[in-house]
Amino acid sequence: MSAENQQPPVERKTLDDRAKMTELERIRHSAAHVMATAIAKLWPDAQFASGPAVENGFYYDVELAHRISPEDFPAIEAEMKKEIKANHTFEKITVTREQATKDAQNGRLGALGERPGNPSKFKIGNLADIPEGEPITYYKSGDFIDLCAGPHVMRTGNVGAFRLTTVASAYYKGDEKNPQLQRIYGTAFKNKTQLDEYFTMIEEAKKRDHRKIGQEMACSPLIRNLSGRACRCGSQRERPLSRNWKSWPRKPSSPPVTCA
């Protein structure tokens, strides 16, 4: 993944911030865990970093030998649907820092089971970010256990409608000295109607942008000079660069372009 696709880090939420999370944010945060569970089932060697809810959906950062692409989305989404259908409870578990460190070293965090010799290295780093005196908690859904302060919906079945959207790259904790991870984005809503409305809005916005760009290009001097077409942009003096423009073929004729 190119440096141009690098994504900025998201600051860790405080407990007060988490207490104020909306229902939709909880759904999306839970969807990130469900997605991580699906990826872990498909690629058990996956090393997960962080998976928050964000403005338009959610993501999870992962280190994985396999390069995830949109072609993998149907397989991941199919596993996610199985987890949602299973309707696992999101169980909150409070542990000591010593227990969390031990579990991370055994590879249990961000995984479906212990992975001897394959520690949850990014969870060890995340654990260091938790202030002394703040409770350390896991969230367990099915076999998947993650170091997480929450909150979540009650069950995986409450995640609702979702769709994976894109893949980018991000440095762990936003530091270019750290490993580069794959960032898998998705979005989720309470129901399919809201999900469909969201993507309809996105498509309509793209069409508007394309029309605007097309009109701006058609009204540019370069395009007018190459095409010999008139443009009603408020200027009556624009002419092709060639001094022999009157001798240019007039057929087939092109209608003038009207700019917004």
Side-chain angles (χ1 to χ4, degrees):
M1 297 180 195
S2 65
E4 290 78 4
N5 289 329
Q6 285 292 334
Q7 301 296 299
V10 173
E11 292 186 5
R12 183 177 183 272
K13 286 184 171 66
T14 66
L15 293 183
D16 286 341
D17 291 334
R18 292 174 185 274
K20 297 174 184 176
M21 285 174 64
T22 65
E23 180 186 14
L24 183 57
E25 288 174 321
R26 291 170 184 245
I27 287 173
R28 290 171 171 173
H29 187 192
S30 301
H33 278 234
V34 170
M35 179 179 71
T37 305
I39 291 173
K41 287 191 172 185
L42 293 169
W43 298 283
D45 61 326
Q47 285 277 358
F48 294 99
S50 299
V54 290
E55 182 179 0
N56 293 316
F58 61 88
Y59 70 77
Y60 219 121
D61 288 343
V62 58
E63 183 181 72
L64 184 62
H66 174 77
R67 182 65 69 184
I68 293 177
S69 72
E71 285 70 31
D72 295 309
F73 288 176
I76 298 172
E77 290 176 343
E79 289 295 332
M80 291 176 69
K81 290 175 181 177
K82 292 178 184 178
E83 289 300 302
I84 290 172
K85 186 176 181 180
N87 202 26
H88 297 300
T89 300
F90 276 101
E91 180 185 357
K92 183 178 181 180
I93 305 170
T94 302
V95 298
T96 63
R97 188 174 294 270
E98 291 72 23
Q99 182 63 51
T101 300
K102 179 181 177 181
D103 289 337
Q105 290 172 343
N106 289 334
R108 184 64 183 95
L109 302 184
L112 301 171
E114 290 190 358
R115 298 178 293 182
N118 188 17
S120 306
K121 56 185 179 180
F122 300 118
K123 300 302 178 179
I124 293 174
N126 293 353
L127 183 60
D129 292 336
I130 301 176
E132 289 292 339
E134 181 177 310
I136 295 173
T137 57
Y138 299 164
Y139 271 86
K140 181 178 184 295
S141 54
D143 293 328
F144 188 76
I145 295 179
D146 207 359
L147 177 69
C148 180
H152 287 280
V153 294
M154 291 295 295
R155 294 176 171 276
T156 57
N158 299 133
V159 166
F162 69 90
R163 187 184 303 179
L164 303 188
T165 55
T166 189
V167 182
S169 60
Y171 292 112
Y172 176 54
K173 296 186 179 181
D175 188 340
E176 63 181 9
K177 296 178 182 178
N178 288 335
Q180 187 182 69
L181 309 176
Q182 301 182 63
R183 179 168 290 182
I184 319 303
Y185 280 99
T187 193
F189 288 87
K190 193 172 182 179
N191 54 57
K192 188 176 183 300
T193 298
Q194 293 177 354
L195 182 75
D196 290 343
E197 288 175 349
Y198 171 77
F199 281 102
T200 297
M201 178 186 70
I202 294 297
E203 289 303 315
E204 289 176 349
K206 287 180 181 179
K207 290 176 182 178
R208 287 195 297 271
D209 287 343
H210 288 165
R211 286 196 294 268
K212 182 178 179 181
I213 291 171
Q215 290 170 345
E216 289 174 350
M217 289 180 64
C219 291
S220 72
L222 176 61
I223 297 298
R224 294 202 302 276
N225 290 333
L226 291 176
S227 66
R229 296 170 69 180
C231 177
R232 293 175 182 152
C233 295
S235 173
Q236 302 297 322
R237 297 183 179 181
E238 297 290 346
R239 292 291 186 269
L241 289 176
S242 171
R243 295 186 179 183
N244 298 321
W245 66 274
K246 290 185 178 180
S247 64
W248 286 18
R250 294 178 178 270
K251 292 183 179 181
S253 61
S254 299
V257 178
T258 302
C259 296

